[in-house]
């Protein structure tokens, strides 16, 4: 990405078009809003995202370092807008 808090994703990550994970603008949504899987991010790419989250939140290295990488292989999903 252009910024240390952003991670570029694209065709090589299994996504249909280039995009980015922006860790300066994170929010949570209920799992029920997720409709279908569009990609599975590699452990390497998830580690880049973890690093970007630490940078965005100004956490020290090692502060956010998930030990269980089974979740890091969780597929990216599309979401539908809810009122």
């Amino acid at each position: 990405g252009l910024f240390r808090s952003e991670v570029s994703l694209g065709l090589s990550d299994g996504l249909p078009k280039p995009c980015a994970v922006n860790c300066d603008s994170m929010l949570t949504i209920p799992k029920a809003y997720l409709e279908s899987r569009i990609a599975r991010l590699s452990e390497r790419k998830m580690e880049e995202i973890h690093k970007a989250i630490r940078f965005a939140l100004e956490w020290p290295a090692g502060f956010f370092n998930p030990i269980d990488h089974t979740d890091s292989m969780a597929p990216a999903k599309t979401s539908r807008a809810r009122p």
Side-chain angles (χ1 to χ4, degrees):
L2 297 173
F3 305 99
R4 292 179 67 187
S5 59
E6 187 175 278
V7 178
S8 296
L9 301 174
L11 299 175
S12 64
D13 298 302
L15 294 163
K17 61 183 179 180
C19 60
V21 175
N22 182 337
C23 296
D24 280 325
S25 299
M26 295 186 295
L27 60 102
T28 60
I29 61 170
K31 278 187 172 183
Y33 287 16
L34 303 175
E35 292 182 336
S36 62
R37 297 171 193 248
I38 58 171
R40 181 174 299 270
L41 300 178
S42 68
E43 188 169 329
R44 179 184 156 277
K45 191 59 78 165
M46 287 304 301
E47 287 179 16
E48 286 182 50
I49 292 170
H50 296 160
K51 185 176 178 182
I53 290 169
R54 284 193 304 270
F55 179 81
L57 299 177
E58 298 180 1
W59 287 346
F63 185 79
F64 177 70
N65 189 15
I67 295 171
D68 179 8
H69 288 289
T70 55
D71 284 341
S72 70
M73 294 301 288
K77 296 184 179 186
T78 60
S79 63
R80 59 179 177 248
R82 296 278 179 151

